[in-house]
Amino acid sequence: MKYDIFISYRRSDREVVAAVVRRLEERGVGVWYDADIEGGADWRDKIVEALTESDMLAIFFSEDCNNSRQLKKELAVADSLGKPVVPILIE
């Protein structure tokens, strides 16, 4: 499936991200974030697949985000795929 935006965030910011995702989807924007990972699925493969199928990576930055190893991995994948990265400061 094709997505307009892949969203990266920390679990502690989930409420804020979910509200933004709802508004984007109401406007017809295709968004992927980890709420779409089915139980038991290999989430690492799902993340790479979703990033590959997305036009861009949006990162919701907060204090917790700066220490995330997963964010660094997602940035590396996005960079290797030539995806634009948009930072969104939420804190």
Side-chain angles (χ1 to χ4, degrees):
M1 182 172 186
K2 188 79 171 141
Y3 302 99
D4 297 305
I5 304 171
F6 177 103
I7 294 182
S8 179
Y9 70 101
R10 294 293 292 175
R11 291 268 186 213
S12 59
D13 302 317
R14 189 176 186 95
E15 280 187 43
V16 171
V17 170
V20 171
V21 168
R22 278 192 302 277
R23 289 184 175 229
L24 289 168
E25 290 178 337
E26 288 170 0
R27 289 165 175 78
V29 177
V31 178
W32 188 95
Y33 74 123
D34 67 359
D36 296 330
I37 296 177
E38 298 169 7
D42 183 345
W43 57 272
R44 289 173 192 91
D45 288 344
K46 292 290 183 187
I47 286 173
V48 172
E49 180 182 322
L51 262 169
T52 301
E53 295 298 320
S54 297
D55 292 335
M56 64 182 290
L57 168 63
I59 301 169
F60 282 72
F61 271 108
S62 65
E63 187 65 33
D64 289 340
C65 189
N66 290 329
N67 300 318
S68 171
R69 288 190 342 230
Q70 184 58 37
L71 170 61
K72 291 173 186 162
K73 292 175 186 176
E74 291 168 2
L75 278 169
V77 171
D79 183 53
S80 72
L81 295 169
K83 305 289 181 175
V85 177
V86 176
I88 301 164
L89 185 61
I90 58 173
E91 191 175 89

